[in-house]
Amino acid sequence: MSQIKYYIFVFLACFCSLIFAQQDVAEDRDMLSLRLKEHLNQAKLDNDRGNYYNAKDNLDKALVIAEKIDDKSSQGTIHTKIAKVQFFVGEKDQATISLSKAIQIQRDNNDYSNLAITYNIKGVIFSTQQEYDKALTYYNSAKNLFEQVDREEYISEVTLNEAKAYIAQEDYEKAKTKLEKTIILAKKYDQKRLLSSALIQSGKVYSALNNPKIALSQIEEGLSIALSQKIIENVNEAYIKLSDIHEKNGSYKLAHEYIKKHIHLSDSILNVKRENIVSGISGQSINNYKDAENAQLKAQITDINAESAFTRITTILSIALITILSLLTLSLYKNNNIRLNTNTMLHKKNDELIVAKEKAELASKTKANFLSTVTHELRTPLYAVTGLTNMLLDEDPKDHQIPHLKSLKFSGDYLLTFINDILQINKIEANKVEIDPEHFNLRNKLENVISALSNSAKDQDTKIHFEYENGLPETFVGDQLKISQILINLLGNAIKFTKDGDIWVRASKIDLKDNVYKLRFEIEDNGIGITKEKQDHMFESFSQGSVQINRKYGGTGLGLSIVKGLIQILKGTIHLKSELGKGTTFFFEIPLKYDEVVDKTEVVEVKKVNKMEGLDLSNVKILIVEDNKINQMITKKILNKMNLYCDVVDNGEAAVEQVKEVAYDVVLMDIHMPGISGLEATKIIRTFDKELTIFALTAVTLEDKMHEFGDAGFDDIISKPFKQDDFEDKLHAALSGEKIVSSFFS
């Protein structure tokens, strides 16, 4: 029994020790955090008093504590404060390195607010060095980050600094624009110091633009604010500028009065001029900083000499040691200078690259938004063009009208294909195409593609030959949709340029490793061929054989660019060989994993069946929500031809009320409408009806926005202009009770 008590005692002792140890760690961290704040507060007081050495010493101690408790946010802020002190005392290279360290930490920590502040400070430093273009680049980056984190109140200081840079470059129109924005923001957030400074700077600009009346008004308003708030540096700047303006206007008495006030005030503040960051400091302050450093070094030497005074031998040895150390120090100093200059250059280049990257990302985002807007605006009228053309072709047109209508239909289909190709190129370039591997039968896939394009080949009096290597497995795991798209593009291209000839489609094995086959596919034709000069550019966007070929055979010039992009995504390569007048061979190689599980299925020829004929449509009600009158008419006629009844409303509010009053089976909802959008209307409907089938009938196509449709409660998306078969399939699924599986967001 005593042994059990002993074990219990030991366990309790260990447990209590662990608890107390954890408490000590927590207390130590809290104590260090308090010491960190004390050092930062003391550094601020020392900096305000011009005691820069003590400020730097406290900041160094604060940095050690911040690194010890792994406080990344404080580390970045401290490096920024150290850079300020270093710049004040003339250590410009060290200040640049400290700012670069701050920037790196803040980027790694996603501390965008403090990163923006650091960018602003770096811009001010470049301005004081008269490197205004670099300064403006950092100001712009700071402004973008403040906007990104929704800190508009900080933007006023940045725009003020931008204005000062433009004034220094004598670009007064840009300076005026920046100052107007600064004044608006400063008034909005009650920033008296910035407002006063912005008004005074605005007076400078209007004076330079030969508008002395407005210049005087702006500066006097800025002076009034500065006097009421006791902002001495702004008062002093206003006095000297008022003196200049009155002298230009011939009011020499007033000019003399203001220059006297300026001189008196300058004397009272020891002729120190301050703006956002001090652009110059007194020689006494620099001397104090250097004297403190020298005093520390002298104290160390005194201690060494005192300790060495015991014996003559020790003194001699110490002198020898100091001499050797001095030589080593000199060598290290030179090496350190070389390394410091190199590091400074590298930090600058790194910053420039990151700023360039941020600009490129912004440009990419702008491009994506532009494509979204343009494709939407193109698809909406295309819906009317293709819809009306199909309706006219189905309504027994006169014989002489049929060729014109078919030409119109061809043009509409061509334009839609062109838009889709541009969107796919954009997705590939933005690395937004993902691989979707699945089990499939490769031989059947090739046969299906050939079967699908066989009619086009017959129209060209061209025969397609298929060769599948003996012994090559048929079942693989891969992205069969992308493989189909590659084959359709290449085979379609071969058919287009081969009249009354032959095309060979071949599949063979190149290598096998770890159950992964490296396969080679060839599409060979004996068509018109490609000149050697054009072959090097065939996989570039909008590249075709020649202007004459483009006019004769058509095409967007994007197909091969899409093919190359998809093959690269599949980790493959593509090449071509061709001879003018003798034909062309495209061959690509991709890796595919062998799969024994997939059952072999036969190639099935799909016959078009009118699915709607098997449904009772007598009581079916459909609601069309569309603000475009032409699109309303087209959609309604398409539904009427399918023997479906429908109502039409032209805005989101009316759609919500209509759904409340009438039990509809399907709602076809447009997105962009006056009032509330289709997204908002669908969200409201889903609050009282979860079961109603709602399709988004829209021209929006970018996948980045597709999650919004799923979140709003849409069952699926029908892209305008839609294909009749696709439209019928989705309606049939909704009306027959089948489960709707969306390819966009399910």
Side-chain angles (χ1 to χ4, degrees):
M1 186 70 180
S2 59
Q3 191 174 6
I4 295 172
K5 290 181 178 179
Y6 172 75
Y7 286 135
I8 293 172
F9 173 76
V10 171
F11 172 75
L12 290 173
C14 293
F15 181 74
C16 291
S17 298
L18 181 62
I19 295 297
F20 290 139
Q22 290 176 344
Q23 288 178 346
D24 288 342
V25 170
E27 288 174 1
D28 288 345
R29 185 177 180 84
D30 292 340
M31 186 64 68
L32 288 171
S33 297
L34 287 172
R35 285 173 58 197
L36 172 65
K37 291 179 181 177
E38 288 174 3
H39 283 305
L40 290 175
N41 290 335
Q42 186 60 45
K44 185 177 185 304
L45 289 172
D46 289 332
N47 190 63
D48 292 342
R49 293 168 183 164
N51 195 346
Y52 299 114
Y53 180 81
N54 285 348
K56 173 73 163 45
D57 185 54
N58 276 296
L59 288 171
D60 288 338
K61 291 175 181 177
L63 182 60
V64 171
I65 296 172
E67 289 173 345
K68 188 173 183 179
I69 63 176
D70 197 28
D71 186 348
K72 298 292 186 184
S73 178
S74 294
Q75 289 176 37
T77 305
I78 292 167
H79 277 300
T80 302
K81 294 178 184 294
I82 289 173
K84 286 185 186 179
V85 174
Q86 289 169 331
F87 184 74
F88 291 165
V89 298
E91 297 175 352
K92 295 179 181 178
D93 289 339
Q94 289 87 341
T96 300
I97 290 173
S98 295
L99 281 176
S100 296
K101 289 179 181 177
I103 289 169
Q104 189 61 51
I105 292 169
Q106 288 157 352
R107 282 182 185 137
D108 293 342
N109 204 36
N110 293 330
D111 188 1
Y112 296 125
S113 294
N114 284 321
L115 179 58
I117 293 170
T118 306
Y119 276 159
N120 185 38
I121 293 170
K122 195 155 187 176
V124 172
I125 289 175
F126 276 124
S127 286
T128 60
Q129 295 171 336
Q130 296 183 354
E131 297 184 52
Y132 299 113
D133 290 335
K134 289 183 179 179
L136 289 168
T137 299
Y138 278 99
Y139 291 147
N140 188 51
S141 295
K143 193 166 52 179
N144 289 338
L145 286 175
F146 280 135
E147 290 172 351
Q148 186 177 330
V149 296
D150 197 22
R151 301 300 295 270
E152 188 184 47
E153 64 272 21
Y154 288 94
I155 294 175
S156 53
E157 185 167 356
V158 182
T159 53
L160 178 59
N161 289 335
E162 285 181 307
K164 291 177 180 179
Y166 283 127
I167 291 171
Q169 292 180 317
E170 299 183 358
D171 191 344
Y172 298 113
E173 289 297 335
K174 287 184 180 178
K176 187 171 73 169
T177 302
K178 297 297 179 182
L179 289 168
E180 288 170 354
K181 185 171 183 180
T182 304
I183 291 168
I184 291 170
L185 291 174
K187 287 180 178 178
K188 180 178 179 180
Y189 294 103
D190 195 27
Q191 297 166 328
K192 300 294 187 184
R193 181 182 66 82
L194 293 175
L195 179 58
S196 169
S197 182
L199 288 167
I200 294 166
Q201 296 297 328
S202 180
K204 288 184 181 180
V205 170
Y206 278 107
S207 176
L209 293 174
N210 297 318
N211 197 333
K213 186 175 181 181
I214 297 178
L216 283 171
S217 172
Q218 296 283 77
I219 296 175
E220 286 170 355
E221 185 181 351
L223 174 61
S224 175
I225 295 169
L227 288 169
S228 65
Q229 300 295 318
K230 297 180 180 179
I231 309 169
I232 305 301
E233 62 271 18
N234 288 359
V235 172
N236 205 29
E237 189 172 8
Y239 283 158
I240 187 66
K241 196 59 199 173
L242 285 171
S243 175
D244 290 342
I245 294 173
H246 283 301
E247 185 179 357
K248 282 183 182 179
N249 292 343
S251 303
Y252 299 109
K253 184 177 180 181
L254 285 172
H256 181 66
E257 288 177 5
Y258 279 117
I259 200 66
K260 281 175 61 180
K261 289 181 179 181
H262 167 68
I263 293 169
H264 177 72
L265 187 57
S266 295
D267 289 341
S268 69
I269 62 174
L270 300 176
N271 205 22
V272 176
K273 183 181 178 182
R274 296 174 182 268
E275 294 179 0
N276 297 316
I277 293 177
V278 181
S279 59
I281 56 175
S282 65
Q284 185 60 44
S285 298
I286 298 175
N287 290 335
N288 290 341
Y289 181 86
K290 299 299 181 183
D291 288 345
E293 280 189 323
N294 292 333
Q296 188 182 46
L297 292 173
K298 287 177 182 177
Q300 292 174 358
I301 294 170
T302 302
D303 291 341
I304 292 171
N305 289 336
E307 291 174 2
S308 304
F310 289 107
T311 64
R312 182 181 179 83
I313 297 172
T314 308
T315 304
I316 294 170
L317 290 173
S318 297
I319 294 169
L321 181 61
I322 291 171
T323 303
I324 294 169
L325 287 174
S326 298
L327 292 171
L328 288 172
T329 303
L330 181 62
S331 176
L332 288 172
Y333 174 75
K334 289 183 177 179
N335 289 334
N336 187 58
N337 273 348
I338 295 170
R339 188 179 63 181
L340 190 64
N341 292 333
T342 305
N343 286 342
T344 302
M345 182 182 70
L346 288 173
H347 283 301
K348 286 181 178 179
K349 292 296 182 184
N350 185 52
D351 291 341
E352 290 172 3
L353 286 172
I354 291 172
V355 170
K357 176 177 172 287
E358 290 170 354
K359 287 182 178 178
E361 288 173 349
L362 179 62
S364 178
K365 185 177 179 182
T366 304
K367 175 186 172 184
N369 290 334
F370 171 76
L371 279 174
S372 176
T373 303
V374 169
T375 53
H376 179 271
E377 295 304 317
L378 286 172
R379 280 173 171 269
T380 300
L382 263 181
Y383 179 60
V385 171
T386 57
L388 287 171
T389 305
N390 287 327
M391 284 167 48
L392 290 171
L393 283 169
D394 290 341
E395 291 177 356
D396 297 325
K398 295 178 181 179
D399 292 341
H400 71 277
Q401 293 174 330
I402 292 175
H404 302 310
L405 292 172
K406 286 185 177 180
S407 296
L408 184 60
K409 183 178 184 301
F410 172 81
S411 298
D413 292 340
Y414 173 84
L415 187 54
L416 181 59
T417 302
F418 186 62
I419 292 168
N420 291 335
D421 284 349
I422 289 175
L423 289 172
Q424 183 149 23
I425 286 290
N426 187 59
K427 281 177 63 180
I428 291 171
E429 289 177 352
N431 295 320
K432 292 184 178 179
V433 180
E434 297 179 356
I435 296 177
D436 184 19
E438 55 185 321
H439 307 278
F440 74 104
N441 187 297
L442 177 62
R443 186 184 185 107
N444 289 344
K445 177 60 60 181
L446 290 165
E447 290 173 348
N448 284 331
V449 169
I450 293 169
S451 176
L453 296 175
S454 59
N455 287 334
S456 297
K458 287 177 183 177
D459 292 341
Q460 292 282 84
D461 295 322
T462 296
K463 188 175 181 180
I464 302 176
H465 309 274
F466 178 44
E467 300 174 10
Y468 196 87
E469 184 180 280
N470 291 332
L472 179 64
E474 298 183 7
T475 55
F476 294 91
V477 176
D479 193 329
Q480 62 169 328
L481 185 63
K482 291 181 180 58
I483 293 171
S484 295
Q485 193 171 359
I486 293 165
L487 291 167
I488 289 169
N489 263 299
L490 292 177
L491 186 53
N493 206 53
I495 292 169
K496 182 167 64 174
F497 295 109
T498 305
K499 176 73 173 175
D500 196 16
D502 293 277
I503 296 173
W504 293 266
V505 179
R506 303 185 184 94
S508 58
K509 178 189 78 174
I510 296 178
D511 190 21
L512 171 60
K513 187 177 181 180
D514 297 332
N515 218 28
V516 175
Y517 281 79
K518 188 173 184 180
L519 300 181
R520 180 187 179 101
F521 298 87
E522 293 184 22
I523 311 293
E524 180 184 353
D525 65 66
N526 53 12
I528 65 173
I530 306 167
T531 63
K532 289 186 178 180
E533 304 88 69
K534 298 294 182 181
Q535 289 179 28
D536 294 336
H537 307 286
M538 287 308 297
F539 296 105
E540 297 176 3
S541 298
F542 303 103
S543 175
Q544 291 183 314
S546 66
V547 175
Q548 292 78 11
I549 288 173
N550 183 19
R551 289 175 178 172
K552 182 175 180 180
Y553 294 97
T556 64
L558 293 171
L560 291 180
S561 181
I562 292 170
V563 164
K564 184 177 181 181
L566 293 175
I567 289 173
Q568 288 176 341
I569 290 167
L570 297 176
K571 299 179 180 178
T573 57
I574 184 169
H575 306 279
L576 73 91
K577 59 181 181 180
S578 181
E579 189 174 345
L580 195 63
K582 293 186 178 181
T584 302
T585 302
F586 284 93
F587 50 94
F588 65 95
E589 299 167 2
I590 57 172
L592 284 177
K593 186 177 180 181
Y594 172 57
D595 180 27
E596 302 179 271
V597 179
V598 178
D599 295 324
K600 182 177 178 181
T601 56
E602 297 296 327
V603 180
V604 179
E605 185 178 350
V606 180
K607 294 183 179 179
K608 185 175 179 181
V609 179
N610 188 350
K611 295 181 178 180
M612 307 299 285
E613 291 179 357
L615 299 177
D616 180 11
L617 306 178
S618 57
N619 295 319
V620 172
K621 293 183 179 179
I622 296 176
L623 177 63
I624 301 171
V625 187
E626 170 69 70
D627 64 314
N628 186 292
K629 299 297 182 183
I630 297 175
N631 290 349
Q632 287 177 4
M633 176 195 64
I634 293 169
T635 308
K636 187 173 181 179
K637 283 203 171 188
I638 290 171
L639 292 172
N640 289 341
K641 284 184 66 176
M642 297 164 63
N643 297 321
L644 289 168
Y645 170 80
C646 60
D647 290 330
V648 179
V649 294
D650 60 4
N651 61 79
E653 292 92 339
V656 173
E657 295 303 318
Q658 194 77 5
V659 170
K660 286 180 180 179
E661 295 175 4
V662 181
Y664 288 102
D665 297 277
V666 177
V667 174
L668 301 175
M669 181 78 72
D670 189 26
I671 300 302
H672 298 295
M673 295 182 292
I676 65 172
S677 68
L679 288 169
E680 294 300 321
T682 302
K683 288 178 183 177
I684 296 170
I685 291 172
R686 287 306 185 207
T687 61
F688 61 84
D689 192 335
K690 306 287 186 184
E691 303 300 324
L692 175 62
T693 300
I694 306 177
F695 290 129
L697 192 62
T698 178
V700 175
T701 54
L702 289 185
E703 278 72 3
D704 293 349
K705 299 181 179 293
M706 290 307 160
H707 69 278
E708 298 178 11
F709 293 85
D711 295 342
F714 285 102
D715 293 281
D716 204 349
I717 298 172
I718 300 174
S719 297
K720 291 192 291 191
F722 53 76
K723 294 181 179 178
Q724 185 73 21
D725 292 343
D726 182 48
F727 187 50
E728 288 183 9
D729 287 344
K730 291 186 178 182
L731 277 179
H732 180 270
L735 298 176
S736 63
E738 295 177 16
K739 183 180 179 181
I740 300 173
V741 180
S742 172
S743 60
F744 293 97
F745 42 74
S746 60

